[in-house]
Amino acid sequence: MPRSALIDRRAFMKAAGITFLAALKPGAVMALERADAVYASGIRAADGSYAVATVTERGEIVDQVALPARAHGMAFSPVTGRTVAFARRPGTYAMIFDPWTKSEPIVVASREGRHFYGHGTFSPDGRLLYASENDFENNRGMIGIYDARDRFARIGEYETFGVGPHDMTVSDDGSLLIVANGGIETNPDFGRTKLNLDHMEPSLALIDAATGSLIEKHTLPPQYAQVSTRHVDLDARGRIWFACQYEGPRNELPPLVGHFARGEDLTFVSLPDETTRKLGNYVGAIAVNRAENLVGVTSPVNGAAVTLDARTGALLKVKSITDAAGIAPAKDGFAISSYRGDFLEQHSDVAWDQHIVRIARG
């Protein structure tokens, strides 16, 4: 991956400024000096508290920002430097902070009758934050729209044209919102219970970012009705990669990874049965390394990290990582975390949460 695509330590320290660096412990400053890349991820600390940790590609924790409750997905704007931690479903907070300036975080609450689904994304210009939400009274997925120029005031919402939206992203030109509607009905009155496993409706939707109108909807075929579409990312060609979790019988081996582009049907990647078993019918995270044309997915079920060729979908590598959790592009391949505290080759006395975001200032 070109060095410009990652944040080198000189750029990070220059962007951070004296106030940020002065607040760090000496060991953290040394970690930054050795770092080629910086990431952020939710953690559970040894005392049971929750935070977002800033971590180098060596797995060295640089800083922590306290969270009000457990986080799930992360979003980052290279234009503004802001990072967002979204509450785990059915949580009702999103916390926005600046990893460089250490300014006071902004915490926003979901509107009444809504909860967050744990994911969101910034518009390419950094002016808007989109968040996947649940209108649980009407059992419909929504995208909350927040104004980053006005302390993330909620300024509108769009439908996702599906049930149970989870991950989402935006096209590089900002014109399309891409949503993985997992198809699973939930209600905060029942916690995290999945209420409709016998009649799920998973889909992937392309939505006009300017108007909220539906451009395309790809509903999974009936034989895959229990294959919940969960996470998405874009490759260098703008193709949409998606990863799934299967809610059907454990002895079945449905496809878990696929891709498509606007105007095309869904294409599922054919993985060897042994690899699908290793994923345990559950892909917890997906990431694309655009520079190297790689797609990576992880699963904590049987502890696996799988790498695919983004051009052909061919299987390149299967690695065993106990409790594999988050994944994000690295200088070579991917940075991977685990629930047991491993980040690449470094172990920390924390539990890394499900997702990682690479943070790099434009």
Side-chain angles (χ1 to χ4, degrees):
M1 178 174 291
R3 192 170 182 81
S4 62
L6 294 174
I7 183 163
D8 64 37
R9 60 101 176 174
R10 290 184 297 275
F12 185 96
M13 297 178 81
K14 180 179 179 181
I18 295 174
T19 302
F20 175 84
L21 296 173
L24 297 180
K25 296 178 181 178
V29 176
M30 292 179 62
L32 274 180
E33 290 177 343
R34 296 192 300 267
D36 287 318
V38 182
Y39 301 88
S41 178
I43 61 169
R44 186 184 71 244
D47 63 1
S49 62
Y50 295 102
V52 173
T54 307
V55 56
T56 72
E57 90 291 348
R58 298 173 183 267
E60 302 157 312
I61 294 177
V62 175
D63 192 31
Q64 296 182 31
V65 180
L67 290 171
R70 182 176 174 179
H72 185 68
M74 311 285 296
F76 173 74
S77 170
V79 175
T80 65
R82 285 167 158 170
T83 303
V84 183
F86 293 95
R88 184 175 185 245
R89 175 185 69 83
T92 57
Y93 83 87
M95 190 182 79
I96 303 97
F97 64 100
D98 189 323
W100 289 275
T101 66
K102 291 185 70 69
S103 56
E104 186 70 19
I106 298 171
V107 178
V108 298
S110 57
R111 59 165 286 189
E112 185 177 355
R114 306 282 190 272
H115 68 70
F116 292 117
Y117 262 114
H119 284 278
T121 187
F122 279 98
S123 60
D125 60 13
R127 295 181 177 182
L128 298 175
L129 176 67
Y130 303 105
S132 57
E133 300 179 1
N134 186 19
D135 174 5
F136 49 84
E137 293 183 358
N138 297 299
N139 189 30
R140 60 176 184 161
M142 305 298 294
I143 300 170
I145 306 172
Y146 298 81
D147 187 350
R149 297 167 296 179
D150 186 20
R151 294 186 59 81
F152 294 86
R154 196 176 196 277
I155 57 174
E157 62 182 18
Y158 294 151
E159 288 193 46
T160 68
F161 303 94
V163 175
H166 195 65
D167 196 10
M168 64 178 300
T169 189
V170 62
S171 59
D172 288 349
D173 64 3
S175 65
L176 290 179
L177 297 172
I178 302 148
V179 182
N181 287 307
I184 299 175
E185 179 184 351
T186 59
N187 188 297
D189 290 343
F190 300 93
R192 291 175 56 80
T193 302
K194 300 167 183 176
L195 302 175
N196 67 329
L197 295 185
D198 60 339
H199 56 281
M200 291 169 53
E201 299 176 1
S203 66
L204 292 139
L206 303 183
I207 298 164
D208 189 310
T211 66
S213 61
L214 179 65
I215 295 175
E216 289 182 6
K217 181 177 179 179
H218 298 265
T219 301
L220 269 62
Q223 66 268 33
Y224 299 144
Q226 288 185 298
V227 178
S228 179
T229 46
R230 306 291 282 181
H231 297 104
V232 291
D233 202 356
L234 300 175
D235 69 16
R237 301 171 295 170
R239 295 192 66 78
I240 301 154
W241 285 81
F242 61 93
C244 307
Q245 298 169 10
Y246 185 50
E247 300 294 342
R250 297 297 93 184
N251 62 333
E252 295 183 357
L253 298 175
L256 300 173
V257 181
H259 56 86
F260 72 105
R262 183 174 178 177
E264 296 182 6
D265 292 333
L266 303 181
T267 297
F268 288 97
V269 174
S270 180
L271 296 174
D273 287 353
E274 180 181 355
T275 302
T276 303
R277 290 191 186 95
K278 185 68 174 174
L279 290 170
N281 280 336
Y282 183 102
V283 175
I286 188 170
V288 173
N289 183 324
R290 292 189 180 188
E292 295 185 296
N293 285 309
L294 300 175
V295 177
V297 298
T298 56
S299 174
V301 175
N302 293 322
V306 174
T307 303
L308 307 173
D309 187 320
R311 292 161 295 196
T312 66
L315 176 64
L316 299 178
K317 182 169 61 174
V318 179
K319 184 176 182 180
S320 293
I321 299 177
T322 303
D323 294 332
I327 185 168
K331 187 176 182 180
D332 298 304
F334 295 98
I336 299 170
S337 64
S338 78
Y339 294 146
R340 59 193 290 133
D342 298 319
F343 194 105
L344 290 174
E345 305 303 321
Q346 184 79 20
H347 180 79
S348 301
D349 191 19
V350 302
W352 295 102
D353 219 296
Q354 188 65 60
H355 295 283
I356 306 169
V357 65
R358 191 186 72 213
I359 55 177
R361 207 152 204 174

